[in-house]
Amino acid sequence: MEAVEALAVIDKLIFDRTGDRLNDLQRFLLHRVWDGQRYGTIAETCGYTEGHVKDIAAELWKLLSELLGEKVAKGNFKAAIARQFGVTKTSVSPEFEPDRPLNFVGRSAAIAHLQALEARGARIILIQAQGGVGKTTLAHRYLQQEFGEFLEFAIAKETQNITSVESLVEERLRQLHEEPGREFGISLDRLKRKLQSTRIGILIDNLEPALDVQGKFIQPHRRYVELLQTLADPSLKSLTLITSRDRLCEAAINVSHYLLSGLDLSAWQYFFSDRDIIIDAPILQAMHKAYGGNAKAMEIIKSAIALDFDGDMAMYWQEYGSDPLVHVDLVDLVATQFKRLQQLDPEAYRLLCRMGCYRYQEVASISTETLLHLLWDVTASKRRRVVESLRNRSLVEHHRHDHWLHPAIRAEAIARLRAREDIEITNRLAAEFWVDSVQTIATVDDALKAFEAYYHYIEIFDYESAASVILQRRPTKLSGVERLGRSFYQLGLLQQMMAAIAQIIPKIDSGYHLSGLYSILGVLYRLCGQIHEAIDCHQRSGAIAIQQLSEMKITNSNNLTFLNLKNWEQHALLNTGICQIELWELEKALAVFEELLMCKRNELIAENLEDLYNPSVDVLAAFLYSCLGETIKARELIGRFDRSMQLKSLSITGHRLLFLGLTYKNLGEMNKAQQMFQAAIVYAAENHYTQVRANALTGLAEICRCQQDFDLAIAHHREAIELLEKIGAKCDLAEAHFQLALTLRMCDRDAESKLNCAIAIQLFNQMSAPRQIEKVKKS
């Protein structure tokens, strides 16, 4: 016998004997007991205290003992039912859904309406209602029911914290195991293709902070229109639900609107009676009318009646019935509950205010440990009791160990926290928790959690500490120990980090922080194809590092600040040289690398800082020498690089393998070149590095062309171009089209060759790279 069959049998037995049905909590409890769960786990899942669950269970065991004629308890409940009804098959009561959340009631008509809209071809449905009506709860329920798992685009709870649409799309593509593009349009095309082939649910929650008074997207976030136009495409298999207090009025977006009303009186009556509240029909009707059936208000009132008035609705209304509260909205109810909590439980009140420091966006919920960290002024033995107090009053949303705030409650918490003296220490402790809780960056979630500390420092205007979050080093999956800012672009989160750095750079005083931030921002610009902006950033980083070093009185190899500044000074030149290679300004690039090869290397050796020397300098300089025909110097540098890597027992990373392959190709050593490119493909597969794989394929195609294996060469070219189009690596994509043009010309396919040349020139022109254009035209 399965649990659902047993519950149907028990429900029918009780109804036949008493005329009553099992309520939701009783069904939930019996279902979990049947599955072997402990009372503590059941209580945690359904949001009640363990004591309350045990009380409900005791009543059930007593009733079942009378009905079955034998002693029934938790330990023998399953066996007793099996003995009595082991082979009985009875359909489950249609009102009972074992996995339905206990607070989800009265929305069958809303679910049916959404189903009808989807059936008529709606791709975007906006659920509109005031705060607390249940928009998000309905959207979650519908998407879970229809799709199982779904993607969530968390906009923001406040306008100033709105996440850029570019970074949101990047993150969601990664979540779908797809590479984001370097340009937004490419990322949207990639998302569209994924949604055309896969049925996926999407939630865009709490849209109104991004809208103006006319219901249009505010100017800084107009690109959300492009995202919604993509999601509204009728060819998609996806459905997007948007929740908002305000109507969306963008003529360019095809949206179906659904105005969600409050719960009806019968739903309120069911909810309160199901939770052992003594119902007074006229009072219930008055409360329901006062709040328009608001679902969140229903939960808050229920908790207040249960905790403060022993479950007596009449006693509750006797105190509040004449209060103006009955004529106002959820905001006033929330404020009243904050005030009451402050009087009854000051420690829980302080925690609730402090919870307003969290954003609940990329990291949508916080753990119990995170909350306990904010109770620095409460003895350790009492802290969990404080958390439980909030959970019991429906002032905190929770599931298992995860907690978050309803938007109306968070707004009140933020306002009160900003008026409190402990706002600074609250945000500092929250930031420290995020920093300490992430030891290694292995996934996007790790990076986003570590980055939450940045927002806490921004809230208290501590921009230097915000910069230190970006510059903090941790072990990573891809490339050893890296700064958080570099981890972001290695994980494909370029736009979010670019926006974060751009926000704080004008407010930074520390030259040390500025040098590090400009260094990371320069790499981000280069990866996005903004080469000239990247060069400017690297030059600024280097100049600031040199100035800071000149002002330091110490040159100690054990001083971390000194070592980092020396590192940024060297990287400024290195990255500037790489940018000039992208522009095909080979002589300028070589001048940079020759400076690094001679002056900087000798300087580092003299200062006993040789470990700071980057082996990539040898590889890049060797590549440039091979391009300019200086083969002896190229071979010398490759030999020195090999000896250095063997001495330090280091493996060769992806980009070094690529430049080694290109250098060997230029030197005519095709077998070694092929080995490097194949090794780069293996590296790319192990580290999910699409750009490295694509460039290695272009290199292999060039070798095949030299060997006159044109079919295989063209196949490699095509695959490389497809990969690079996905991620939008503009410079690499232009080079791939150029190399394909050369191969096609050797096959006497002149028309196709000219077409690919034209594409390459167009892309190089977008980068303002005249030397690259000149190279293509000459060839």
Side-chain angles (χ1 to χ4, degrees), residues 155-169:
I155 303 294
K157 303 299 188 291
E158 297 178 282
T159 299
Q160 64 267 28
N161 291 331
I162 294 174
T163 305
S164 74
V165 67
E166 294 90 345
S167 63
L168 277 177
V169 172

Side-chain angles (χ1 to χ4, degrees), residues 618-771:
D618 291 330
V619 176
L620 292 164
F623 166 72
L624 289 168
Y625 282 131
S626 72
C627 290
L628 298 170
E630 299 190 43
T631 58
I632 295 176
K633 289 183 178 180
R635 293 182 190 281
E636 287 177 354
L637 288 173
I638 288 179
R640 187 167 78 178
F641 172 77
D642 287 339
R643 290 191 296 274
S644 175
M645 298 303 285
Q646 291 172 9
L647 182 64
K648 297 178 181 180
S649 300
L650 298 176
S651 58
I652 307 177
T653 56
H655 287 288
R656 291 174 185 171
L657 288 166
L658 292 174
F659 277 104
L660 281 171
L662 291 171
T663 304
Y664 281 125
K665 179 185 71 69
N666 291 342
L667 295 174
E669 299 185 32
M670 296 303 176
N671 288 337
K672 285 187 177 180
Q674 188 173 21
Q675 290 172 12
M676 294 299 106
F677 291 134
Q678 288 173 341
I681 288 176
V682 171
Y683 174 90
E686 292 174 347
N687 295 281
H688 308 288
Y689 214 145
T690 302
Q691 185 181 17
V692 169
R693 175 178 174 80
N695 288 333
L697 287 167
T698 297
L700 288 174
E702 292 181 56
I703 293 174
C704 291
R705 181 176 68 224
C706 294
Q707 297 169 342
Q708 297 194 339
D709 187 350
F710 299 123
D711 290 340
L712 184 56
I714 291 172
H716 286 328
H717 284 307
R718 301 283 189 206
E719 184 180 353
I721 288 171
E722 182 181 354
L723 292 172
L724 291 168
E725 284 177 340
K726 289 178 181 178
I727 63 174
K730 189 176 295 181
C731 185
D732 296 327
L733 179 60
E735 181 67 19
H737 276 288
F738 170 56
Q739 293 298 333
L740 174 57
L742 296 178
T743 302
L744 291 169
R745 188 176 64 186
M746 292 187 69
C747 300
D748 296 325
R749 295 162 64 173
D750 290 343
E752 294 177 75
S753 176
K754 289 180 180 178
L755 176 60
N756 282 276
C757 274
I759 295 172
I761 290 172
Q762 181 184 19
L763 290 168
F764 283 134
N765 188 54
Q766 292 172 8
M767 293 168 49
S768 300
R771 295 292 295 274

Side-chain angles (χ1 to χ4, degrees), residues 103-108 110 132-134 137-138 260-269 271-272 287-289 291-299:
N103 291 342
F104 189 82
V105 295
R107 290 302 187 195
S108 57
V133 173
T137 302
L138 173 62
L260 181 65
S261 60
L263 294 168
D264 62 24
L265 181 61
S266 64
W268 270 49
Q269 182 169 359
F271 179 85
F272 280 101
M287 290 194 301
H288 177 268
K289 182 178 180 181
Y291 287 100
N294 187 287
K296 190 61 189 175
M298 177 183 73
E299 290 183 34

Side-chain angles (χ1 to χ4, degrees), residues 350 354 371-379 383 420 422-427 429-430:
R350 289 198 298 272
R354 291 168 185 172
L371 294 183
L372 299 178
H373 195 71
L374 294 184
L375 291 169
W376 67 85
D377 49 357
V378 176
T379 58
R383 290 175 185 171
R420 289 176 57 85
D422 59 356
I423 180 173
E424 181 166 346
I425 187 173
T426 297
N427 277 285
L429 285 174

Side-chain angles (χ1 to χ4, degrees), residues 257-438:
H257 286 83
Y258 175 51
L259 189 61
L260 181 65
S261 60
L263 294 168
D264 62 24
L265 181 61
S266 64
W268 270 49
Q269 182 169 359
Y270 177 86
F271 179 85
F272 280 101
S273 63
D274 193 42
R275 283 142 184 86
D276 299 323
I277 303 298
I278 302 172
I279 298 291
D280 185 301
I283 289 174
L284 179 65
Q285 187 173 6
M287 290 194 301
H288 177 268
K289 182 178 180 181
Y291 287 100
N294 187 287
K296 190 61 189 175
M298 177 183 73
E299 290 183 34
I300 294 174
I301 292 170
K302 180 269 299 181
S303 296
I305 293 173
L307 289 173
D308 303 330
F309 296 92
D310 296 324
D312 192 325
M313 182 180 292
M315 289 177 62
Y316 170 84
W317 203 241
Q318 185 177 356
E319 180 166 338
Y320 286 105
S322 60
D323 193 278
L325 173 66
V326 299
H327 304 296
V328 291
D329 61 11
L330 178 61
V331 173
D332 296 284
L333 174 60
V334 169
T336 300
Q337 294 304 313
F338 267 77
K339 183 178 179 180
R340 182 171 184 80
L341 182 65
Q342 186 177 16
Q343 296 170 346
L344 297 178
D345 194 339
E347 293 169 338
Y349 169 78
R350 289 198 298 272
L351 177 58
L352 184 58
C353 293
R354 291 168 185 172
M355 285 182 70
C357 76
Y358 295 109
R359 301 187 316 131
Y360 311 100
Q361 284 178 230
E362 284 87 357
V363 182
S365 61
I366 54 179
S367 66
T368 301
E369 290 69 25
T370 314
L371 294 183
L372 299 178
H373 195 71
L374 294 184
L375 291 169
W376 67 85
D377 49 357
V378 176
T379 58
S381 61
K382 294 176 62 179
R383 290 175 185 171
R384 291 189 179 275
R385 194 275 314 160
V386 175
V387 175
E388 186 68 18
S389 177
L390 288 185
R391 290 165 60 117
N392 290 342
R393 293 178 180 276
S394 295
L395 293 172
V396 174
E397 311 292 323
H398 62 93
H399 177 68
R400 298 185 183 276
H401 297 291
D402 296 325
H403 303 77
W404 64 97
L405 294 181
H406 184 278
I409 294 174
R410 182 174 183 268
E412 185 71 19
I414 290 172
R416 290 177 180 252
L417 177 62
R418 287 175 177 167
R420 289 176 57 85
E421 294 180 354
D422 59 356
I423 180 173
E424 181 166 346
I425 187 173
T426 297
N427 277 285
R428 286 196 185 282
L429 285 174
E432 291 170 7
F433 180 86
W434 291 119
V435 169
D436 295 340
S437 64
V438 180

